[in-house]
Amino acid sequence: MEATQKHMIQEGSSMFYHQPSSVKQMDLSVQTFDSYCTLESSSGTKSHPCLNNKNNSSSTTSFSSNESPISQANNNNLSRFNNHSPEENNNSPLSGSSATNTNETELSLMLKDLETAMMEPDVDNSYNNQGGFGQQHGVVSSAMYRSMEMISRGDLKGVLYECAKAVENYDLEMTDWLISQLQQMVSVSGEPVQRLGAYMLEGLVARLASSGSSIYKALRCKDPTGPELLTYMHILYEACPYFKFGYESANGAIAEAVKNESFVHIIDFQISQGGQWVSLIRALGARPGGPPNVRITGIDDPRSSFARQGGLELVGQRLGKLAEMCGVPFEFHGAALCCTEVEIEKLGVRNGEALAVNFPLVLHHMPDESVTVENHRDRLLRLVKHLSPNVVTLVEQEANTNTAPFLPRFVETMNHYLAVFESIDVKLARDHKERINVEQHCLAREVVNLIACEGVEREERHEPLGKWRSRFHMAGFKPYPLSSYVNATIKGLLESYSEKYTLEERDGALYLGWKNQPLITSCAWR
């Protein structure tokens, strides 16, 4: 933790003052989830302590290069699917190697049998393969034929989509077969689509088991230790510019809005480790005419104390030491509460202070009118507007998953996170010893939550910037366009990353993308 903070404090200095300026419910239990667990375990892999606790064992967790760190069920429970070795899995069409002769022969025979069956309309589709399919011809047969063609050419995205459709339609036999096929195509150590596919498959299996809630809670029980999680987050922070983009664009807007103020109060609705404020404190310390008095109110979910290995006072102590080094009069107030619990009296607003409010990748966790009648998403914006802030900064993922039905949400999740996984490859090699942990603990849970959970259990509810604009306008805010200097700063930041990252300015907001696909947006309001 100390090493992480030291590194963050040593990063760049003054940046902003160089220049003035109704379907039948499936009855599937968690035990059923064990038998559907999607990825193979090596012979040395032990049971997952959350999902296989039948004997109250205290076994530890390990995994092979082809096994999802989330899904580590007992090998006996996987026997119905594990007809192939991990070596065979690595030879999936998507990995660049051809499938085994056995798999090619099996697919060829299956396609021929299905073609023959489809030519005989008066005969049931009685294709059998270890239990087989007992459905009539038509939609199911066409779907099975289409899926086998996708499998033969290595179209993992297509097969995942067909499996999602089967899950949505509660077609257990089709789902069962597709899961067994997908197990051979995904790999947590393979191509980006294979790695993402492993976690999307986990989400589908969790959705089958219990609509996501109990399984997702079980997935949370094997958290890494605080220092480990900080390490994984910092690796991702350095490997991809997404967090830096959000932090520096928001800091630039705040610095511009308070450039002539003597007393500045920042309310951060997700303070985390406080790393965002390192560069701003340095910049304010170098401000022409002297630094202002700075007060930060840091709000964070009480669960985050696990990652910090302590309360918010630790964040205040670190930032206080930095502020002292920079000659900035500083005060910190920590508020360990969920954003849904925030009320005006808990924010400690004082007269005579310039107020900046920061929403860093946090508002999409707030339930809106589609989830609860309280509509905390809009309630929080109205509350902030009542404070008359000088500036409000918003950084969010550019995705549409909030109210989207399951299948469109599945596709949106696949497209959005595939771009993220592809971008990780630029900095983290396939053999990077921590890459699997980074993807599991920083990204996989989001993917599983998006696919497996519904209602109040689904915490990941992204909206595109157009929808956020509507919400801010309804709350009474007006756009606060980011300055050209902020844009230039972000462009300079991206130069140290891949040329495949794209930056677009549109209607006063910034869009950071990968191969022209927008992934993160940043904007400001007042």
Side-chain angles (χ1 to χ4, degrees), residues 461-508:
R461 292 181 167 274
H462 312 100
E463 291 184 318
L465 183 53
K467 181 62 176 178
W468 290 117
R469 288 184 190 277
S470 297
R471 292 189 185 277
F472 272 82
H473 281 299
M474 286 189 296
F477 289 98
K478 295 181 180 180
Y480 185 91
L482 299 176
S483 71
S484 59
Y485 182 69
V486 173
N487 300 351
T489 300
I490 300 301
K491 288 179 181 178
L493 169 69
L494 294 181
E495 289 178 358
S496 61
Y497 291 89
S498 170
E499 61 183 11
K500 294 179 181 178
Y501 287 106
T502 56
L503 183 66
E504 180 185 1
E505 180 184 2
R506 193 191 317 160
D507 299 327

Side-chain angles (χ1 to χ4, degrees), residues 93 99 107-108 111 147-155 159 185:
L107 277 174
S108 177
L111 284 167
S147 297
M148 282 189 285
E149 284 191 323
M150 291 176 179
I151 294 168
S152 67
R153 65 175 183 264
D155 183 2
V159 180
M185 302 176 73

Side-chain angles (χ1 to χ4, degrees), residues 166-374:
V167 169
E168 184 182 50
N169 294 330
Y170 298 94
D171 187 342
L172 284 181
E173 290 180 305
M174 186 69 173
T175 300
D176 190 359
W177 176 70
L178 284 172
I179 286 175
S180 68
Q181 298 300 314
L182 283 166
Q183 285 181 294
Q184 304 167 46
M185 302 176 73
V186 301
S187 169
V188 296
S189 58
E191 299 284 340
V193 69
Q194 289 179 295
R195 305 198 312 265
L196 173 61
Y199 299 119
M200 297 195 76
L201 187 53
E202 295 290 347
L204 289 172
V205 171
R207 186 179 182 89
L208 271 175
S210 61
S211 297
S213 58
S214 61
I215 297 301
Y216 185 64
K217 291 176 182 176
L219 296 178
R220 297 183 62 91
C221 76
K222 187 58 180 176
D223 280 325
T225 63
E228 286 176 343
L229 183 57
L230 284 179
T231 298
Y232 303 149
M233 293 170 63
H234 191 67
I235 291 174
L236 184 62
Y237 177 86
E238 292 296 332
C240 303
Y242 305 122
F243 295 110
K244 291 182 182 179
F245 162 80
Y247 290 172
E248 302 308 337
S249 58
N251 286 357
I254 293 173
E256 177 69 21
V258 302
K259 62 184 177 182
N260 297 319
E261 302 292 342
S262 299
F263 296 89
V264 176
H265 182 194
I266 299 171
I267 300 177
D268 187 350
F269 274 87
Q270 186 167 280
I271 188 71
S272 188
Q273 306 303 314
Q276 172 173 350
W277 308 115
V278 173
S279 61
L280 182 61
I281 290 174
R282 290 192 166 202
L284 293 175
R287 190 175 76 169
N293 287 263
V294 176
R295 190 162 63 95
I296 293 180
T297 296
I299 300 170
D300 209 2
D301 189 317
R303 294 175 296 181
S304 298
S305 61
F306 171 80
R308 282 189 299 269
Q309 291 190 302
L312 285 169
E313 65 274 6
L314 295 179
V315 177
Q317 291 169 9
R318 297 191 191 105
L319 293 178
K321 290 178 181 179
L322 173 65
E324 184 178 1
M325 292 169 52
C326 298
V328 177
F330 183 79
E331 182 182 343
F332 182 86
H333 170 67
L337 47 86
C338 299
C339 290
T340 55
E341 302 169 343
V342 170
E343 299 293 343
I344 289 181
E345 57 270 16
K346 297 179 181 180
L347 299 178
V349 177
R350 301 171 186 169
N351 293 327
E353 292 180 325
L355 180 63
V357 177
N358 186 51
F359 288 116
L361 296 169
V362 65
L363 275 184
H364 71 270
H365 288 143
M366 295 298 98
D368 71 345
E369 67 277 7
S370 68
V371 182
T372 65
V373 294
E374 289 87 357

Side-chain angles (χ1 to χ4, degrees), residues 16 18 23-24 136 196 206 242 304 337 341 368 375 397 401 440 482 502 506 508 521:
F16 308 111
H18 294 169
V23 180
K24 183 179 180 181
Q136 294 291 103
L196 173 61
Y242 305 122
S304 298
L337 47 86
E341 302 169 343
D368 71 345
N375 187 3
Q397 292 165 257
T401 65
Q440 176 196 1
L482 299 176
T502 56
R506 193 191 317 160
T521 59

Side-chain angles (χ1 to χ4, degrees), residues 15 30 124 191 291 320 378 512:
M15 300 181 62
V30 173
D124 283 350
E191 299 284 340
D378 290 336
L512 176 62

Side-chain angles (χ1 to χ4, degrees), residues 419-481:
V420 175
F421 274 69
E422 287 179 353
S423 68
I424 289 176
D425 266 15
V426 175
K427 290 284 187 176
L428 297 183
R430 300 284 170 81
D431 59 354
H432 192 289
K433 63 179 181 180
E434 298 290 6
R435 184 190 50 73
I436 291 177
N437 285 326
V438 168
E439 292 177 344
Q440 176 196 1
H441 294 295
C442 300
L443 297 172
R445 280 180 177 168
E446 295 179 10
V447 172
V448 172
N449 184 255
L450 280 162
I451 295 172
C453 300
E454 296 292 349
V456 295
E457 297 291 342
R458 181 155 64 86
E459 299 179 12
E460 304 296 331
R461 292 181 167 274
H462 312 100
E463 291 184 318
L465 183 53
K467 181 62 176 178
W468 290 117
R469 288 184 190 277
S470 297
R471 292 189 185 277
F472 272 82
H473 281 299
M474 286 189 296
F477 289 98
K478 295 181 180 180
Y480 185 91

